Amino acid sequence: MNTSLAWLKAYVPDLDVEAQEFADAMTLSGSKVEGYEKKDEDLEKIVIGQILKIEKHPDADKLIICQVDVGAGTPLQIVTGAPNVKEGDKVPVVLDGGKVAGGHDGKMTPGGIRIKKGKLRGVESNGMLCSIEELGSTRDMYPEAPESGIYIFGEDAVVGENAVKALGLDDVVVEYEITSNRVDCFSVVGLAREAAATFRKDFFPPVITPTGNSENVNDYIKVTVKDTDLCPRYCARVVKNIRIAPSPVWMQRRLAAHGIRPINNIVDITNYVMEEFGQPMHAYDLDTIAGHEIIVRRGEDGEKFVTLDGQERQVDSSVLMICDADKAVGIAGIMGGENSMITDHVQTMLFEAACFDGTNIRLSSKKVGLRTDASGKFEKGLDPNTALDAINRACQLVEELGAGEVVGGVVDVYSRVRTGNRVPFDPEYVNRLLGTDIDRETMIGYFKKIDLGFDEKTSEVIVPSWRQDLLRPADLAEEVARFYGYDNIPTTLPSGEATTGKLSFKMRIEAIARDIAEFCGFSQGMTYSFESPKVFDRLRIPEDCSLRNVVTISNPLGEDFSIMRTTSLNGMLTSLATNYNRRNKNVRLYELGNIYLPKQLPLTELPEERMQFTLGMYGDGDFYTMKGVVEEFLDKIGMNKKETYDPNAQKPFLHPGRQANIVYDKTVIGFLGELHPEVADTYGIGERAYIAVLDMPAILPFASFDRKYEGIARFPAVTRDISMVVPKEILAGDIEAVIEQRGGKNLESYQLFDVYEGSQIKAGYKSLAYSIVFRSKEKTLEEAEISGAMKKILKALESMGIELRQ
């Protein structure tokens, strides 16, 4: 939900606060502000000027020289290429040193564009005339602006006054995150009421005056609601002698601030009331309504309907339709039909303000594939009592703007009247719940500020129907808390029995990572998240690698701390190098720290933070030592499947023949290997160093603390040893995969116990020996069962070019 701060101030006149103060206070009082935009943030020193004289530029056919009165006595000389200006025009003028928001092409420039006096083709120019695009808006929001050229003010514009203010651009648009239970805050009036209560100011809602001539609306239209469960209230009024024209500037500016394009007075009135009261409205051409009758009914299965956007929609019996005597004219709460749309030739118009079942509107919107501003509001479950005020407000605006003649009376079909409720009020309970000591009268004062009544006789708070969220005493306590100020509530100890907390699943996994690392002799390190762009060259990372897509710090301490790291290696290697240079032997370090991966550049949202479990060591130990630590950790967190190692890791910072990706269930969860000699030399590490990095977010889905107890084996195991001559390109992991696949259900374990390469083995081959263990949980295995499994294993190995050693 967005609102214009200027519009709010129309109902809270004494609301004199800065945007940040407003945002902070509203958030603390329960209307969470997501952010705000100062529409004039990049606009400076812009005034209304009047062109006194125009001359051709002596050296440029498309430039002209204007003498412009800006109310400062001596006219300014400004050179422009605008094709639409003439003598006497009043235009926005940026003075020397001022700023505009963007270029004539409508593209905004962050921080704005500073305008300075200078020369154009040899002629002095002391400022600039502005188009609406250069002021940070568009012709959609300012339809009176020319398609190409300078914005022209009306004759009533005052020379020398602030052009930004005259255009309504001295405004702040505030974005809120309104929860669905606060339907009343999906309106300007609702948020103005909240602002008045928050800042303890008087609230003046719009006063709705009676409208209508001496005629009776029932002579023009009849309304029948067949499905009252889906439409508890339907209000209709008629306006005749319609005069289509642009809406007044003040209305256009308020709609534009809400991102709604002004169209004409009738359309703008319906949009205005929808934003003001949070009640969607719709207008029909009464001459297109067959039989001058509105029937609210369910659609028919397979029924097709063309909406205002020209698209054909298919509905069924679950979708509520607005129909006349012959046909459907709208999908209730979503969009009207093309067959009853308002055109420039409309003479008599039917205004509709209704309340529909929120759940049905939500489902219907999804079913027909159409979501609108109106359906978004109806989905929340609107208060039916607002409908009558909204339609009367619209008719009031019609009369005030001279848009037509309002017919007297209103058709109001209200089948299920909603009333407010009463909630018992106990100030002692509120203070006990909040841990405060607020007096009773202060609490009642808070209630009255937000239009809640109070019955002194029964000590009950009278809740109006538009506050659907106030149902019980605890809800009243929340109202007291937010206006007393959450920051003013003292800290108190909770009463009752203590509860035992526990670590989250993610934190338990990280705790195990620390335990395993420290058990294996690693000491914890902590390195900076800020790094230098030179890190990637030190790690031999290619120019086109995604790791070079980094988040750049806007105010770094220096170049060495100017980016957020996308790999954890630099910190670990720097720490290892420091230890090596201080002559520490057998160093083992680990770190649990985040890397920061931008989702896109330039940044439009926060980067992805991924926790990395990084291990580094030199001295005693080798590749297989590091591999053992990794396997110990994965086993400890319940990853019982056999992880595999892919030597085709292609990590440029690792030794090309001593590196591997760690793969679990077809997912790469990390990598390990020996540091590339060139990288080790760059960091000043004078001996072999080994690195392992595990991506914790990739690991978490596979981790589990579920354990199943298995008793001690009751039957004996049978062991078979095999020794093979294997081509060197075949990995031990490939052989183990065959043993697992072909070993059958009785395969218990296997282990590589010998590797040999030498003169007794032919060139290009190596000797591997495995011990394979079989065991049944149900019986003692027979020789035939073991032999059958071994034959399957050997046959598969022979198909890979592997030979048994005799």
Side-chain angles (χ1 to χ4, degrees), residues 421-560:
N421 60 309
R422 289 171 169 259
V423 180
F425 173 57
D426 180 358
E428 293 183 2
Y429 165 81
V430 173
N431 280 322
R432 192 165 58 249
L433 184 64
L434 300 180
T436 55
D437 185 19
I438 307 171
D439 64 84
R440 179 176 183 271
E441 295 306 316
T442 299
M443 294 184 189
I444 294 173
Y446 294 150
F447 299 150
K448 291 182 177 179
K449 275 289 186 181
I450 51 176
D451 289 349
L452 304 183
F454 185 73
D455 189 334
E456 290 284 355
K457 294 181 179 179
T458 62
S459 191
E460 291 177 317
V461 173
I462 304 170
V463 181
S465 58
W466 42 264
R467 282 304 301 268
Q468 304 172 24
D469 59 312
L470 301 183
L471 303 173
R472 54 190 66 86
D475 297 331
L476 298 181
E478 183 181 5
E479 298 302 295
V480 172
R482 65 192 188 98
F483 290 115
Y484 177 72
Y486 291 111
D487 51 334
N488 294 323
I489 296 176
T491 301
T492 56
L493 291 173
S495 59
E497 296 181 1
T499 57
T500 303
K502 64 177 183 179
L503 296 177
S504 66
F505 182 82
K506 173 177 176 292
M507 295 177 70
R508 291 173 68 190
I509 298 297
E510 292 171 5
I512 291 174
R514 293 187 185 93
D515 290 343
I516 294 297
E518 291 168 6
F519 177 80
C520 295
F522 288 74
S523 299
Q524 184 171 13
M526 187 175 294
T527 60
Y528 289 116
S529 296
F530 299 158
E531 289 185 338
S532 167
K534 298 176 183 177
V535 163
F536 303 109
D537 293 332
R538 298 181 74 185
L539 293 173
R540 303 176 73 248
I541 292 175
E543 291 290 337
D544 58 348
C545 181
S546 61
L547 292 178
R548 289 182 180 261
N549 297 329
V550 298
V551 177
T552 303
I553 308 301
S554 59
N555 57 340
L557 298 175
E559 185 183 11
D560 289 342

Side-chain angles (χ1 to χ4, degrees), residues 302-317:
E303 182 178 355
K304 294 182 179 179
F305 180 71
V306 179
T307 46
L308 275 171
D309 56 3
Q311 300 295 313
E312 185 178 76
R313 316 280 177 176
Q314 183 166 318
V315 302
D316 59 25
S317 58

Side-chain angles (χ1 to χ4, degrees), residues 180-193:
S180 58
N181 66 326
R182 288 302 307 274
V183 181
D184 58 300
C185 286
F186 285 92
S187 67
V188 177
V189 168
L191 286 168
R193 183 187 292 110

